[in-house]
Amino acid sequence: MSGEGDKMEVEPLVDAAPPVEPTRPAEDEEEDCSDIADLLESINDADKSAADKIPILTSVLNEPLNRYGPTASALKERAVYALARAYCENNHHNEVVTLLTGTTCAPFFANVTKAKTAKVVRAVLDAVCALAPDQLDMQSQICHNIIAWCQSEKRTFLRQRVEAKLAYVLFQQDKCGEALTLVDNLLVELKKLDDKQLLVEVHLVESKVHHGLRGMAKSKAALTASRTNANAIYVAPALQSQIDLMSGVLHCEEGDYDTAHSYFLEAFEQLDQLDDREQAVPCLKYMMLCKILDGLSKALGISASGATGIRSDRNEADISGMITGKRGVKYAGSDVEAMSAIAAAASKRSLKGYEAVLVKYPHELQDDLLIKHHLGTLQEQLLESNLIRIIEPYSCVEIDHVATLIDMPLPVVEKKLSQMILDGKFNGILDQGKGQLIVYEDADMDKAMEKGLKVIENMDKVVTSLFSRSQNLRSMMV
């Protein structure tokens, strides 16, 4: 009986072992993915064009064995990135649009985790936007396709991130109304989830959209909201540089060029450390623009509202030598040359030289909205300064003579002089019958009257304050 009992104890152990042993090698066994790896290596040949790589990469993603282990998934992820690059290099924009949501990547996405899918989608979207920055219609279509796919798959977080990207693409397409509607709806969702990282990005896009619509107050409020959320989390240097860049833009629009220059410098230093030349060069141009405008403002006596003074010292506006050292060497190019030429023309107050620079560097100076806007303001300031300098010695002068001295068409000079008279830049009238400009001396202000008005204003404030205090005392006594 004892032997039989021992036998009964041993047999279950022997029977239990066989089902367990086969599963261990199945878990630990690595898939043989050497054929996939060889195909990926074959596309690195310098002789292969982008068109030759596309069928190879498509075969990797649609290989018949359907391997989706760790190694195979990593290789297929590389294939997705390489296929997106190949489509962009070969200008197959329609295939790029359907790459992520079509049949090519569907089996891969169905066999990997949602986190991996979100990572691949975002990486491919960023890569496509970087490789084809001018194809805004294609970027918009890709975003719309991904959003529709996310809605059908109920992937909320990925949809929100792609919508944030779509809002920025719409802003680049000058569709500010659509971008603002999308941002408003997205912010309602994000505030419920308290996703601060995405809130920082979306508020930054909102600030840019409002700036594009020239709504400076709303743009500043959106940027403040972005900074508030950024203070609660870690922000990557690239995103922080964009926040500083936007702060500099808004201060530049307000005429606070010193503060704007400091923000542009912060953004430029961060981008310089990241070695992002594409983003760093515009920051450097903005810094030079602030120096030009600030130097000319001090030289011409231009206030924040744009009032032009008559007397100035030309040396104060001489800022042609501000780019020296490592910056001038590392970022030398047509952009820096264009801004240096503008600085030289501004220091000489030469309208002809200024206009010649605009003709010589149209791409560097006219494509950027901020630089284009402020260079237009700078041209107006130079024109006003030169006109005031010409008419200063005269009490009556022919408009034709002024136009000849400044070398500009008579209608343009006449229109500008009338604007300056209406703006109060100088005291005079235009006698169009005789074609003359009559300049009057500035009447001295009555200081007694001015001080008397200030006394009355201060007394009004005192009486108002006493009245409010008496009202408070009466309410306390009752």
Side-chain angles (χ1 to χ4, degrees):
M1 293 295 293
S2 61
E4 188 177 352
D6 293 338
K7 188 176 181 180
M8 291 293 290
E9 291 177 0
V10 172
E11 284 179 356
L13 293 175
V14 174
D15 294 336
V20 176
E21 287 178 357
T23 59
R24 289 179 181 173
E27 292 176 356
D28 299 336
E29 181 183 2
E30 293 187 2
E31 293 177 319
D32 183 14
C33 302
S34 58
D35 55 337
I36 300 178
D38 292 339
L39 287 173
L40 284 178
E41 289 296 328
S42 67
I43 67 172
N44 294 328
D45 282 344
D47 298 335
K48 289 189 182 297
S49 64
D52 297 332
K53 296 177 183 178
I54 291 173
I56 297 174
L57 294 169
T58 305
S59 65
V60 170
L61 291 172
N62 296 325
E63 52 95 16
L65 298 180
N66 293 327
R67 287 165 287 184
Y68 292 101
T71 305
S73 295
L75 292 172
K76 290 184 178 182
E77 181 181 350
R78 287 172 51 194
V80 173
Y81 300 149
L83 185 58
R85 288 194 295 270
Y87 279 144
C88 290
E89 291 172 5
N90 211 33
N91 294 324
H92 287 180
H93 298 143
N94 293 331
E95 286 79 359
V96 173
V97 170
T98 58
L99 172 62
L100 296 175
T101 56
T103 57
T104 306
C105 295
F108 174 68
F109 289 153
N111 288 277
V112 297
T113 62
K114 287 187 175 182
K116 174 71 75 175
T117 301
K119 175 194 170 187
V120 172
V121 169
R122 291 171 58 193
V124 169
L125 186 57
D126 291 341
V128 169
C129 293
L131 291 170
D134 299 329
Q135 300 295 328
L136 297 177
D137 292 335
M138 178 194 69
Q139 296 177 22
S140 176
Q141 188 59 48
I142 291 175
C143 291
H144 279 107
N145 287 359
I146 296 174
I147 290 170
W149 177 76
C150 289
Q151 289 172 341
S152 63
E153 296 290 328
K154 297 181 180 180
R155 301 197 177 188
T156 305
F157 296 105
L158 179 59
R159 174 184 59 79
Q160 290 171 346
R161 294 198 170 275
V162 178
E163 283 182 347
K165 182 68 176 178
L166 175 60
Y168 183 67
V169 173
L170 291 173
F171 164 68
Q172 290 181 307
Q173 290 180 307
D174 292 331
K175 297 179 180 179
C176 294
E178 296 179 26
L180 194 58
T181 302
L182 183 59
V183 165
D184 290 340
N185 295 331
L186 188 56
L187 284 174
V188 173
E189 297 182 29
L190 294 177
K191 287 176 181 177
K192 293 178 182 177
L193 297 173
D194 199 25
D195 187 349
K196 293 190 179 298
Q197 180 68 35
L198 196 52
L199 276 170
V200 172
E201 300 176 13
V202 175
H203 276 303
L204 183 59
V205 174
E206 182 188 14
S207 178
K208 293 180 179 180
V209 172
H210 281 302
H211 175 256
L213 295 171
R214 308 305 296 173
M216 297 305 164
K218 292 183 178 180
S219 179
K220 200 169 184 180
L223 184 63
T224 302
S226 180
R227 281 190 172 279
T228 302
N229 286 286
N231 290 335
I233 59 171
Y234 168 75
V235 178
L239 181 57
Q240 184 62 49
S241 67
Q242 293 301 313
I243 295 174
D244 291 335
L245 179 62
M246 194 63 206
S247 300
V249 168
L250 292 180
H251 279 90
C252 190
E253 294 285 7
E254 293 175 352
D256 188 358
Y257 301 122
D258 285 335
T259 306
H261 179 269
S262 65
Y263 276 116
F264 289 141
L265 180 60
E266 288 286 337
F268 174 76
E269 288 178 347
Q270 293 180 33
L271 293 169
D272 185 44
Q273 290 179 357
L274 295 172
D275 202 19
D276 189 351
R277 180 184 176 86
E278 184 179 354
Q279 297 290 334
V281 170
C283 281
L284 183 58
K285 290 170 67 177
Y286 295 157
M287 289 164 57
M288 298 174 72
L289 177 67
C290 289
K291 283 292 185 182
I292 293 169
L293 294 173
D294 187 51
L296 191 64
S297 298
K298 292 176 180 177
L300 300 179
I302 302 168
S303 65
S305 61
T308 308
I310 295 177
R311 298 176 179 83
S312 60
D313 183 8
R314 181 177 297 181
N315 293 329
E316 293 179 7
D318 187 7
I319 51 176
S320 57
M322 61 183 177
I323 300 298
T324 55
K326 295 181 179 179
R327 291 178 191 167
V329 174
K330 184 175 181 180
Y331 296 100
S334 59
D335 293 287
V336 176
E337 290 175 3
M339 296 305 296
S340 299
I342 288 290
S347 64
K348 297 175 183 177
R349 297 189 222 161
S350 171
L351 273 174
K352 293 186 68 175
Y354 181 87
E355 292 171 355
V357 174
L358 293 180
V359 173
K360 185 178 180 181
Y361 300 100
H363 172 70
E364 291 80 1
L365 300 176
Q366 299 297 321
D367 289 353
D368 191 289
L369 291 178
L370 181 69
I371 293 178
K372 181 179 180 180
H373 171 70
H374 283 280
L375 288 183
T377 304
L378 178 62
Q379 186 174 13
E380 293 294 319
Q381 292 173 351
L382 286 173
L383 177 57
E384 290 178 3
S385 173
N386 287 343
L387 285 173
I388 288 177
R389 187 170 56 181
I390 289 172
I391 67 177
E392 183 181 5
Y394 301 99
S395 59
C396 181
V397 61
E398 292 184 357
I399 304 174
D400 190 18
H401 179 62
V402 176
T404 303
L405 290 176
I406 204 170
D407 195 15
M408 293 186 69
L410 179 61
V412 175
V413 174
E414 187 174 354
K415 181 180 179 181
K416 188 61 184 176
L417 288 172
S418 63
Q419 288 179 351
M420 293 171 67
I421 292 172
L422 293 174
D423 292 340
K425 300 297 177 66
F426 67 91
N427 191 13
I429 60 171
L430 285 173
D431 188 345
Q432 292 182 330
K434 297 180 180 180
Q436 294 177 345
L437 171 67
I438 302 172
V439 183
Y440 301 124
E441 292 185 2
D442 292 334
D444 294 334
M445 294 291 293
D446 189 349
K447 294 185 178 179
M449 175 70 73
E450 185 178 353
K451 291 182 179 179
L453 291 174
K454 287 185 178 179
V455 169
I456 293 173
E457 183 181 356
N458 292 332
M459 287 298 296
D460 178 64
K461 291 180 180 178
V462 171
V463 172
T464 304
S465 176
L466 290 173
F467 180 75
S468 62
R469 290 185 181 183
S470 65
Q471 290 284 355
N472 293 334
L473 287 173
R474 286 182 182 180
S475 61
M476 290 174 63
M477 291 174 67
V478 173

